[in-house]
Amino acid sequence: MALSLDREAYYRRLRRLYGSWQKGEEEYGGVDAIVVAVGVDEEIVYAKSTALQTWLFGYELTDTIMVFCEEKILFMASKKKVEFLKQVAHAKGGESANGVPAITLLVREKNESNKANFEKMIEALKASKGGKRIGVFSKDKFPGDFMKSWNDCLSKEGFEKVDISAVVAYTMAAKEDGELNLMRKAAAITSEVFTKFFKERVMEIVDADEKVRHSKLAESVEKAIEEKKYLAGADPSAVEMCYPPIIQSGGNYNLKFSVVSDKNHMHFGAITCAMGIRYKSYCSNLVRTLMVDPPQEMQDHYAFLLQLQDEMLKEMRHGTKLCDVYGAVMDVVKKQKPELLSKITKNLGFAMGIEFREGSLVINSKNQHRLKKGMVFSINVGFSDLTNKEGKKPEERTYAMFIGDTVLVDEEGPATVLTAVKKKVKNVGIFLKNEDEEEEEEEKDEAEDLLGRSSRAALLTERTRNELTAEEKRRAHQKELAAQLNEEARRRLTEQKGEQQIQKARKSNISYKNPALMPKEPHIREMKIYIDKKYETVIMPVFGIATPFHIATIKNISMSVEGDYTYLRINFYCPGSALGRNEGNIFPNPEATFVKEITYRASNMKTPGEQTVPALNLQNAFRIIKEVQKRYKTREAEEKEKEGIVKQDSLVINLNRSNPKLKDLYIRPNIAQKRMQGSLEAHVNGFRFTSVRGDKVDILYNNIKHAVFQPCDGEMIIVLHFHLKNAIMFGKKRHTDVQFYTEVGEITTDLGKHQHMHDRDDLYAEQMEREMRHKLKTAFKNFIEKVEALTKEELEFEVPFRELGFNGAPYRSTCLLQPTSSALVNCTEWPPFVVTLDEVELIHFERVQFHLKNFDMVIVYKDYSKKVTMINAIPVASLDPIKEWLNSCDLKYTEGVQSLNWTKIMKTIVDDPEGFFEQGGWSFLEPEGEGSDAEVGESESEMEDETFNPSEEDYEEEEEDSDEDYSSEAEESEYSKESLGSEEESGKDWDELEEEARKADRESQYEEEEEHGRSRKRKAPAGRGAHPRNPGGVPLFFWGGSPLFLGPPPLFWGPPPRGVSFP
């Protein structure tokens, strides 16, 4: 298959080369012609000559001479290459339509001296401009007879040679879109290999404590690029290493790209790794330092290194000199850590493209070249010879750190990082257990193995006595949090006390600012009701005077027909009238005299000579007032929605086509009534969602409080959810939660379809769904990684921890609530549920009782004026995991058996915070706290008061209604309290307890007979007073119809003693 040549790119680039030459800047100025000769040398990887060929033709052409003259171009190559080059040659001489000189192709003869062809080229060189000075790439020296004979021929003619490497490199440095796409791909492959292979391999080595040589690890990285899974879908034949990976650790560091990995074993300290991958001849580069158990000083130095790289990215803009970029970074070092000036790398990077390192475009203190949009640089900054004060062994005492990325220079703003590999301390630090701890554990295990069985049991008992249980640890931590909570809350409320809330006065709507604005309509003169739509005013005759009332003052209107008359009744807003919840009842002048209502009457009978009935005016007025009122209320509602909306910055659109983008997403809440698909695109400072209809919704990065990515594992949709700091308006409503999702499975299933376990169609459909889920998850993850890289990780997406999730009903239906690192969320159901953990004061669990299957969770916020959040119907099985999670988040929690009236509690606290904290603050929620029974929900408190706190009167009535004497049982109950309490301690069995109960019965037999007659005389009303078998008011719980004694006496299981009968 014949190789194809991109003619468009060839002409475009050749015009650029000639354009730069004709301008005559720098070395171009004194050059009459340009000669590029390429021989054969397997050892030469990067050369300016071969780079120029690749740039123009897309391929390297060995044993080829190219002569660029002012008015003609000559190529001399083998027969096959000439055939290839014919694609850009022209039939007749003269300048072509493409604006470049015509090409002459000369065929190189293998065995002959090629003298005739050389002479033609020499003639062309002499005829070009002055014909004396030729531009060459002086560093490129190729071996072989063909090259030798050509160089001899040039020397004989006495041409003066000028090195034009630097100026040609500058011409080629600004990349076109096609080149940038190849470099992005190369950078993506480098990132994949580092993240998925190298980093994972290093963690395995550290984890298993393996001994691996640097050189062996470097070889394994080179082999990894042969595996498709690390190539991000690229063709393996087009992928190669720019240089062998450089891995260094253990005190021996050389922060250059010309070194090779040594044969020393990898040391678990600071491990630097540099690797670059080339895709279709275009290079990329990545440098990272992995740190195993880094001390604080090492972490500080690393954080400073990241700061320097950020500073460098900010400086790299179109038009900036390379020396100025270097100077800006050095200024930061001088100001903040001058002691590191001697440790920093000598240069901070270089331009990259077809050649890995462009020597003339290095970022150092002397380079005067200016950056251009489209240039790609490998920026590398590092510190060497740093001292680790905590190091004991020689290899631990010295360390270096080195970071580098492939970046693209833009017109405005900081350079774009193409190698999006996370580099914060948490991403590159590997934190292990202390060796001392491990040794202690090992010693314990050995001791147990040496000891016999009995001594091991004794050891175990000793251990359990001394060690705290998880519950005890939790309680201890919660006690600390309780004290801390009350202190902080008191301080916060004291500070807020000075800030008084200003109540907003109701807007006064003035109809006309002066009488001249009153309309001069005949209706007004005729004393009829007139509606001025422009000023939204109803003009009514009051005592023969036309009086304007703004539509906002009218509460409602009604019309009725009674006999021969029509009545129009108009009710007005006034102090004391029941305003709607949203209207607010604050008037500008509440002391003024208000009209409450006006009724008009008109006849339904037509007067002789009149065309219409008088009542028609009232009917028209009624209709028009309703219309104007509706329009006014709609506008007010919209303005109310907009109230408090914080004005957002404008979205800065990135015109680059390679923005991170997700297509075919739905938005919630919907923009219109029907849901619509659209695409979500990340720009410079925010996201833009564009629907298929053209609607746009902009979400700025700085307005996002929580960005949550909900994968589709176990869900029917995959979601990107944004919980915003300030609400945004779209669809005429304000929204704080916006999410973008796509469906991954069948939301509905056809039950009529015959289902079979081994049905091929079903199996295929399942397989397709699995693949679809995987594909979507990958697409969303790639989008998130690109966005995080674009925002320099200022915007981080949180993924909910499904294993910590629990079911609950924050709204009407039950859903799975899942914690993230900073919130508790549910994104799959609508409306979504998001609670920021930093805003939470404490969590209270209600209705926690052993016989109930569910409990409720109340979230109290630090802002006490905010309504508490309730999550109902959480299964009891989730209680312990939730406590464990809250404890790990340093959140205080309490629990109780009752449902509390939280509106009343919060009002009490806000009204008198000082009094609240003087009485112990939140300790009233603790089970042993004094105020645990306070402020209970009305319905439950009434029931519990009746059950647990009987009045004496009710108790007496109840007592008389029973068949047995309960005064004796009361004594027995007290007796039981004492005896059972002691017996529990001494460990008596049930037979002994029964015997004692019988004895007690016999002693009280006479009293029973005496009371028996009296107990039938009076009957108690049902449902009042203490339970007949609970005279002391001890809390009773019913289990299968039988009361269980809880509280002071221990739980009474087994057969009841005589004298006590259960219904």
Side-chain angles (χ1 to χ4, degrees):
M1 192 179 84
L3 295 172
S4 65
L5 194 153
D6 186 345
R7 295 179 63 182
E8 291 282 316
Y10 165 77
Y11 290 127
R12 196 169 55 244
R13 290 169 189 176
L14 195 57
R15 276 199 299 273
R16 203 205 292 184
L17 181 68
Y18 266 85
S20 301
W21 181 18
Q22 281 158 10
K23 279 181 188 170
E25 291 174 1
E26 297 179 28
E27 285 87 356
Y28 276 136
V31 172
D32 298 322
I34 297 169
V35 177
V36 179
V38 178
V40 181
D41 190 349
E42 293 296 323
E43 289 179 16
I44 294 176
V45 181
Y46 304 109
K48 189 66 77 244
S49 313
T50 52
L52 184 64
Q53 282 185 349
T54 308
W55 188 60
L56 291 172
F57 310 120
Y59 300 95
E60 282 184 22
L61 306 174
T62 52
D63 282 341
T64 301
I65 299 169
M66 300 189 293
V67 174
F68 299 98
C69 302
E70 189 179 17
E71 291 174 0
K72 63 161 83 172
I73 298 170
L74 291 90
F75 290 161
M76 181 178 173
S78 64
K79 196 174 181 180
K80 273 188 180 178
K81 294 187 184 91
V82 166
E83 284 297 318
F84 168 70
L85 291 168
K86 275 181 183 175
Q87 296 175 66
V88 289
H90 317 301
K92 292 178 182 176
E95 202 164 306
S96 76
N98 293 295
V100 292
I103 294 172
T104 305
L105 298 175
L106 306 172
V107 179
R108 180 176 71 85
E109 300 298 333
K110 280 189 180 178
N111 303 323
E112 294 176 27
S113 60
N114 295 296
K115 195 174 180 184
N117 287 335
F118 285 170
E119 281 173 3
K120 283 180 188 174
M121 288 194 283
I122 297 291
E123 276 175 35
L125 288 171
K126 286 179 177 176
S128 177
K129 291 190 179 181
K132 289 180 181 177
R133 304 182 75 192
I134 57 169
V136 295
F137 302 133
S138 55
K139 282 187 181 176
D140 295 1
K141 292 185 170 67
F142 289 92
D145 295 338
F146 177 58
M147 284 294 115
K148 189 174 182 296
S149 55
W150 167 244
N151 287 327
D152 290 347
C153 193
L154 281 178
S155 302
K156 273 182 196 172
E157 298 298 330
F159 288 111
E160 187 186 336
K161 293 179 181 178
V162 178
D163 185 13
I164 56 165
S165 303
V167 285
V168 171
Y170 196 63
T171 303
M172 292 164 62
K175 306 289 181 288
E176 297 172 357
D177 285 349
E179 294 177 283
L180 289 176
N181 288 338
L182 294 174
M183 296 197 82
R184 281 193 184 92
K185 189 71 178 171
I189 298 167
T190 308
S191 306
E192 287 279 297
V193 172
F194 178 85
T195 310
K196 292 184 179 174
F197 178 79
F198 179 76
K199 192 178 172 186
E200 291 296 319
R201 181 74 188 105
V202 169
M203 287 171 84
E204 280 173 23
I205 292 166
V206 172
D207 199 35
D209 204 8
E210 288 179 52
K211 282 196 171 182
V212 178
R213 296 181 192 278
H214 295 141
S215 52
K216 285 285 178 193
L217 190 53
E219 280 171 29
S220 68
V221 175
E222 288 192 69
K223 283 178 187 169
I225 66 164
E226 293 167 17
E227 294 183 46
K228 275 192 173 180
K229 63 179 176 181
Y230 301 124
L231 300 187
D235 174 13
S237 62
V239 178
E240 58 182 327
M241 298 301 295
C242 294
Y243 57 92
I246 303 163
I247 297 156
Q248 304 176 82
S249 69
N252 297 322
Y253 300 94
N254 186 351
L255 307 185
K256 289 180 182 175
F257 296 100
S258 52
V259 298
V260 290
S261 301
D262 58 29
K263 291 186 178 178
N264 294 337
H265 288 112
M266 190 171 82
H267 172 256
F268 302 161
I271 305 157
T272 66
C273 170
M275 63 170 73
I277 285 173
R278 202 175 185 200
Y279 177 65
K280 291 187 179 175
S281 301
Y282 283 86
C283 300
S284 66
N285 196 28
L286 175 73
V287 186
R288 288 290 180 270
T289 302
L290 299 178
M291 298 176 286
V292 182
D293 271 341
Q296 192 55 49
E297 190 185 27
M298 191 187 282
Q299 291 183 42
D300 294 344
H301 281 149
Y302 185 79
F304 183 59
L305 200 60
L306 291 181
Q307 186 191 332
L308 293 182
Q309 197 194 33
D310 282 346
E311 183 63 33
M312 197 167 163
L313 288 169
K314 282 178 197 165
E315 293 295 324
M316 291 184 78
R317 289 186 301 274
H318 177 81
T320 311
K321 285 184 180 179
L322 291 172
C323 56
D324 293 346
V325 175
Y326 182 85
V329 174
M330 291 304 153
D331 287 347
V332 175
V333 181
K334 282 173 193 169
K335 280 178 192 169
Q336 296 187 19
K337 295 200 174 184
E339 69 277 9
L340 294 175
L341 266 174
S342 59
K343 313 281 186 186
I344 200 165
T345 42
K346 295 289 178 281
N347 63 60
L348 303 178
F350 43 81
M352 246 192 340
I354 296 165
E355 286 189 273
F356 173 68
R357 184 179 187 275
E358 183 41 68
S360 61
L361 292 172
V362 175
I363 303 172
N364 58 25
S365 56
K366 295 173 185 173
N367 202 325
Q368 296 295 315
H369 281 105
R370 290 183 185 276
L371 291 166
K372 280 188 188 174
K373 184 192 174 185
M375 285 185 173
V376 176
F377 275 77
S378 168
I379 61 164
N380 322 289
V381 56
F383 299 132
S384 51
D385 293 327
L386 294 170
T387 308
N388 179 10
K389 292 167 187 171
E390 294 178 25
K392 293 168 187 172
K393 298 173 186 174
E395 61 266 28
E396 289 174 0
R397 286 182 198 135
T398 308
Y399 69 93
M401 38 187 57
F402 199 19
I403 55 169
D405 282 291
T406 304
V407 303
L408 166 64
V409 179
D410 290 324
E411 187 85 46
E412 291 293 324
T416 307
V417 178
L418 303 181
T419 39
V421 175
K422 294 181 179 179
K423 49 182 178 275
K424 287 186 178 177
V425 174
K426 64 178 180 184
N427 305 120
V428 296
I430 303 168
F431 297 88
L432 307 170
K433 274 188 180 178
N434 290 339
E435 284 178 17
D436 302 346
E437 287 175 27
E438 284 176 11
E439 281 171 19
E440 278 174 29
E441 280 176 23
E442 281 170 21
E443 281 168 20
K444 278 183 187 175
D445 292 343
E446 283 171 20
E448 277 193 22
D449 291 338
L450 292 168
L451 293 165
R453 193 172 173 183
S454 57
S455 50
R456 186 182 295 172
L459 198 85
L460 200 69
T461 321
E462 188 62 36
R463 186 185 289 184
T464 45
R465 273 192 200 136
N466 295 337
E467 284 181 13
L468 292 169
T469 63
E471 179 60 30
E472 283 168 340
K473 279 181 185 172
R474 271 210 306 259
R475 277 186 193 153
H477 188 211
Q478 286 296 315
K479 266 188 184 173
E480 290 170 24
L481 288 175
Q484 202 177 319
L485 170 79
N486 281 335
E487 259 177 58
E488 279 181 18
R490 176 179 270 189
R491 181 173 47 78
R492 199 172 57 246
L493 286 173
T494 312
E495 284 169 11
Q496 285 175 1
K497 204 178 173 187
E499 303 165 17
Q500 289 183 342
Q501 286 190 327
I502 301 156
Q503 279 193 311
K504 198 178 174 190
R506 196 153 181 260
K507 193 165 76 177
S508 173
N509 291 295
I510 297 163
S511 295
Y512 304 111
K513 290 186 178 172
N514 59 58
L517 294 171
M518 280 269 283
K520 312 283 188 288
E521 294 291 324
H523 272 64
I524 299 171
R525 285 198 298 275
E526 290 164 14
M527 290 295 132
K528 289 182 181 176
I529 296 173
Y530 175 75
I531 294 94
D532 184 354
K533 289 185 180 177
K534 185 183 174 186
Y535 289 100
E536 293 176 328
T537 297
V538 182
I539 299 169
M540 307 177 204
V542 179
F543 302 119
I545 299 164
T547 313
F549 289 89
H550 194 277
I551 199 79
T553 60
I554 296 173
K555 186 179 177 188
N556 53 40
I557 58 171
S558 63
M559 193 173 69
S560 60
V561 179
E562 292 176 20
D564 294 342
Y565 293 98
T566 296
Y567 292 87
L568 179 68
R569 182 179 173 184
I570 301 170
N571 291 318
F572 296 94
Y573 286 118
C574 62
S577 68
L579 296 174
R581 276 177 86 181
N582 304 329
E583 301 293 342
N585 52 5
I586 299 148
F587 288 82
N589 334 303
E591 300 300 316
T593 304
F594 286 83
V595 178
K596 192 173 183 186
E597 66 174 79
I598 294 179
T599 305
Y600 289 94
R601 187 183 78 169
S603 173
N604 291 336
M605 308 298 285
K606 194 193 274 190
T607 317
E610 290 290 330
Q611 287 182 347
T612 56
V613 294
L616 188 65
N617 174 245
L618 293 189
Q619 289 164 10
N620 287 339
F622 176 75
R623 180 175 53 78
I624 297 168
I625 290 171
K626 280 278 186 197
E627 277 176 25
V628 174
Q629 202 173 27
K630 187 181 176 185
R631 199 169 61 213
Y632 173 76
K633 280 185 176 171
T634 308
R635 197 179 71 244
E636 283 291 295
E638 278 180 25
E639 279 177 19
K640 195 164 185 210
E641 284 289 330
K642 287 178 187 170
E643 232 175 69
I645 290 277
V646 177
K647 192 177 185 302
Q648 303 292 317
D649 301 334
S650 300
L651 183 73
V652 180
I653 301 291
N654 188 353
L655 298 172
N656 202 332
R657 283 184 186 175
S658 60
N659 287 345
K661 191 172 186 177
L662 278 177
K663 293 178 182 176
D664 303 330
L665 297 180
Y666 294 107
I667 184 172
R668 279 203 293 206
N670 297 333
I671 299 173
Q673 286 183 337
K674 280 187 178 179
R675 66 178 193 161
M676 279 185 294
Q677 281 192 327
S679 59
L680 182 69
E681 196 168 357
H683 291 282
V684 177
N685 65 336
F687 295 102
R688 168 165 282 180
F689 174 79
T690 313
S691 75
V692 286
R693 199 176 70 175
D695 305 281
K696 290 182 173 64
V697 176
D698 295 344
I699 298 171
L700 300 187
Y701 301 140
N702 60 9
N703 191 31
I704 296 172
K705 197 179 205 174
H706 297 291
V708 181
F709 167 49
Q710 174 70 64
C712 50
D713 305 323
E715 302 288 353
M716 298 307 282
I717 57 174
I718 184 166
V719 182
L720 287 181
H721 184 94
F722 299 111
H723 182 66
L724 308 178
K725 294 173 188 169
N726 301 308
I728 59 169
M729 286 283 292
F730 64 87
K732 293 186 180 176
K733 287 190 178 174
R734 55 194 292 169
H735 304 286
T736 321
D737 288 281
V738 184
Q739 64 176 228
F740 305 96
Y741 71 97
T742 188
E743 291 166 2
V744 289
E746 288 181 25
I747 302 271
T748 55
T749 307
D750 182 5
L751 296 174
K753 188 171 75 176
H754 174 64
Q755 298 285 329
H756 191 269
M757 193 175 141
H758 301 294
D759 186 351
R760 277 190 182 181
D761 289 347
D762 282 3
L763 291 173
Y764 178 69
E766 279 181 28
Q767 176 65 21
M768 288 301 287
E769 190 180 315
R770 270 198 296 274
E771 284 174 15
M772 173 78 166
R773 280 172 180 268
H774 180 68
K775 199 174 173 185
L776 279 169
K777 214 195 303 184
T778 310
F780 272 70
K781 276 186 177 171
N782 288 341
F783 175 78
I784 285 165
E785 282 171 10
K786 284 176 185 172
V787 170
E788 285 181 346
L790 182 72
T791 60
K792 312 275 188 297
E793 291 179 36
E794 281 172 23
L795 177 68
E796 279 198 49
F797 281 82
E798 302 173 52
V799 180
F801 303 114
R802 198 176 177 84
E803 60 277 11
L804 293 178
F806 56 90
N807 287 306
Y811 303 114
R812 288 178 186 174
S813 58
T814 302
C815 57
L816 181 67
L817 299 160
Q818 301 173 76
T820 70
S821 50
S822 64
L824 177 65
V825 302
N826 169 260
C827 302
T828 49
E829 303 286 327
W830 196 263
F833 178 81
V834 181
V835 169
T836 309
L837 297 182
D838 286 347
E839 293 174 3
V840 175
E841 180 83 305
L842 78 119
I843 309 281
H844 181 66
F845 303 119
E846 293 185 339
R847 299 191 306 112
V848 180
Q849 302 178 27
F850 79 93
H851 68 286
L852 293 178
K853 290 181 182 176
N854 297 323
F855 67 93
D856 302 332
M857 180 168 157
V858 178
I859 299 168
V860 180
Y861 296 99
K862 288 178 179 170
D863 178 3
Y864 289 170
S865 59
K866 199 172 173 184
K867 193 182 173 188
V868 299
T869 300
M870 293 274 296
I871 302 171
N872 300 317
I874 305 170
V876 164
S878 305
L879 185 59
D880 262 3
I882 292 172
K883 283 182 178 177
E884 193 58 52
W885 163 61
L886 291 172
N887 200 52
S888 67
C889 297
D890 288 343
L891 281 174
K892 170 72 184 147
Y893 63 80
T894 54
E895 62 179 78
V897 295
Q898 299 147 331
S899 291
L900 308 181
N901 184 347
W902 284 98
T903 315
K904 206 170 168 187
I905 290 173
M906 298 316 289
K907 191 177 183 306
T908 310
I909 297 170
V910 172
D911 289 349
D912 182 18
E914 285 176 8
F916 171 70
F917 288 110
E918 275 167 19
Q919 287 170 18
W922 290 107
S923 59
F924 81 94
L925 291 171
E926 300 285 355
E928 65 273 7
E930 292 169 13
S932 61
D933 294 336
E935 309 284 9
V936 294
E938 288 169 29
S939 58
E940 290 202 20
S941 69
E942 281 169 24
M943 183 190 79
E944 284 159 2
D945 284 348
E946 284 170 10
T947 311
F948 302 145
N949 302 312
S951 66
E952 287 178 25
E953 211 173 84
D954 291 339
Y955 170 52
E956 281 169 20
E957 287 171 3
E958 192 74 57
E959 193 181 59
E960 287 178 3
D961 188 36
S962 65
D963 295 328
E964 295 173 344
D965 178 17
Y966 291 110
S967 62
S968 66
E969 190 183 326
E971 287 169 20
E972 181 197 79
S973 171
E974 283 173 23
Y975 165 75
S976 303
K977 282 183 197 175
E978 292 163 18
S979 62
L980 282 177
S982 60
E983 281 156 15
E984 285 268 295
E985 288 160 26
S986 58
K988 290 185 181 181
D989 61 18
W990 289 109
D991 293 333
E992 288 173 295
L993 293 171
E994 278 187 14
E995 188 54 46
E996 283 185 12
R998 280 192 205 99
K999 207 178 283 179
D1001 288 349
R1002 282 195 294 275
E1003 285 171 15
S1004 61
Q1005 196 173 1
Y1006 298 111
E1007 287 173 56
E1008 274 180 25
E1009 286 169 4
E1010 236 175 86
E1011 294 290 321
H1012 189 70
R1014 194 169 49 139
S1015 66
R1016 295 177 184 274
K1017 287 174 190 174
R1018 284 174 293 181
K1019 287 195 176 180
R1024 299 289 296 164
H1027 193 277
R1029 277 173 283 291
N1030 183 19
V1034 175
L1036 282 176
F1037 290 90
F1038 288 83
W1039 188 279
S1042 304
L1044 301 176
F1045 283 80
L1046 290 178
L1051 259 172
F1052 209 107
W1053 295 106
R1058 279 189 195 167
V1060 179
S1061 65
F1062 286 80

